[in-house]
Amino acid sequence: MKSSQKKNKNRLEQEDIYSIPIDAFFKSAFSVDCVIFGYHEKELKVLLIQRGTDPYENYWALPGDLVYPHEDLEHAAQRVLRDLTSLPDISMRQVHAFGKVGRHPLGRVITIAYTALVEHTEINPLPSNWAKQTKWHSVKKLPRLAFDHEEILKDCHQSIKRLIISEPLWVNVLPEKFTITQLQEIFETVLDKKFDKGNFRKKINGLKFLKPLKESQKNVSHRPSTLFNFDSKIFEKYKEKGFVFEF
Amino acid sequence: MKSSQKKNKNRLEQEDIYSIPIDAFFKSAFSVDCVIFGYHEKELKVLLIQRGTDPYENYWALPGDLVYPHEDLEHAAQRVLRDLTSLPDISMRQVHAFGKVGRHPLGRVITIAYTALVEHTEINPLPSNWAKQTKWHSVKKLPRLAFDHEEILKDCHQSIKRLIISEPLWVNVLPEKFTITQLQEIFETVLDKKFDKGNFRKKINGLKFLKPLKESQKNVSHRPSTLFNFDSKIFEKYKEKGFVFEF
DNA sequence: TCAAAAGTGTTATAGGTACACCCATGT
DNA sequence: ACATGGGTGTACCTATAACACTTTTGA
């Protein structure tokens, strides 16, 4: 009986719908929201803005913007990130679309969440027209957020944890030449979990796309580490063949 | 220099933007497209419609529809599925948002792709106002599709392959009580890959949420199989604890 | 010579793969 | 009795985890 009630409800909705002119459908907007995680020295942060205008004025929120009428989604996400961090060409990943009817007080706005991982030193976030303030927040101590941004942030946090074990999210974080320990520390921080040094190294040495260089560290007060390289061509070949590695 | 060119281009776009009235943003629409996979007797199919109206008339396409102004995305996806298959309450998963500028000839339409796995026997797809024809197609032999639906379908196909190893997508396919072999056949078909009988059974017996019943098969001309049950409560508990199983 | 981190090696265990073999039922 | 798929057991191999030990540098 419960199911027949549902069916009735649905039939009504459907009939209503036919009287809605096609224009009515073109009255919604979409936005992108960027969940930009920043890594530095074993700390994971996320970039938030403090809103300067009305819906949710003064609340902290994810940086985001409406998508321009002739702009691709990815482009919009890149733009938001670049405006705030002046970092160009960071690879971002689409995570999910959020579209609950009441999520935006000004009208029907669906938002597409994008996420990225970057280095957060020296990025003093640029002033922007949307924001009173822009600040890196530790992911372990977050303020209340505007709209449904808490849900979005949580989803994206989960997402980078899943992604980082098979996608090189860390290319935006590490310098050209890096040590295994640097890589291990990123994993430990993002996944909030310790790894055994020896075992981690064994994994790395099995991955052909992480190549040891002839060079090593300089001026460190301990045995200098071999520097490594990420070879994206080899990585792409592995991926094409459907190979899956996990850290 | 390439990067400075880019920056300039971006600045221009930004300045243009401020002259666009807010209303201009509320002139786009969104739709859901459903990639409904149908399993039956070791065959994986996908439900396609043949379009009866103009953009891409007569092309095969994914069933989809514009989202009504006061309708949630999930609800819209459910509605499309129900209209075609008369199956109520199938769990669908959001996969990705597709929003390239030129993807829809009538205007800016972003589409959110949803996917599900169902049993495809006895569903003689219902006539619908969008479609001349509705038909199950083998995933191994697909026609050319309208819009960017080939890309969407490919993405969703990948997606169920990834999902099925950790999510019980097969609850919509199997009867209440099922045999391990039935389950194994679904996995083999979806992943297009054979599994060893003995090893598969060992996995199943290790999963607490797949419970053997006292009952067994009847009227089969071989040793009757024990029937199993999916216990969703136990499954949810595992998931809450972040436990991950893979087949 | 000491601290600190790099880097190697060993062992125990868990889990996966392959495969052989027995079991219960209808015909 | 035999065909058919259900169900079990084992032996081998590989991946992983835990941990101890050696090496190289600057101070």
Side-chain angles (χ1 to χ4, degrees), chain B residues 181 197 201-202 222-226:
Chain B
T181 303
K197 194 181 26 152
R201 303 183 102 77
K202 264 177 247 164
H222 53 74
R223 175 173 174 178
S225 171
T226 311

Side-chain angles (χ1 to χ4, degrees), chain A residues 4-17:
Chain A
S4 81
Q5 274 178 19
K6 247 185 196 159
K7 249 181 197 153
N8 267 330
K9 189 162 168 268
N10 186 53
R11 176 132 316 154
L12 272 172
E13 280 172 10
Q14 260 182 260
E15 279 163 20
D16 278 340
I17 258 26

Side-chain angles (χ1 to χ4, degrees), chain B residues 38-50:
Chain B
Y39 170 86
H40 185 62
E41 285 183 358
K42 305 190 189 180
E43 263 219 298
L44 188 63
K45 306 207 164 194
V46 62
L47 196 58
L48 298 177
I49 61 154
Q50 192 180 26

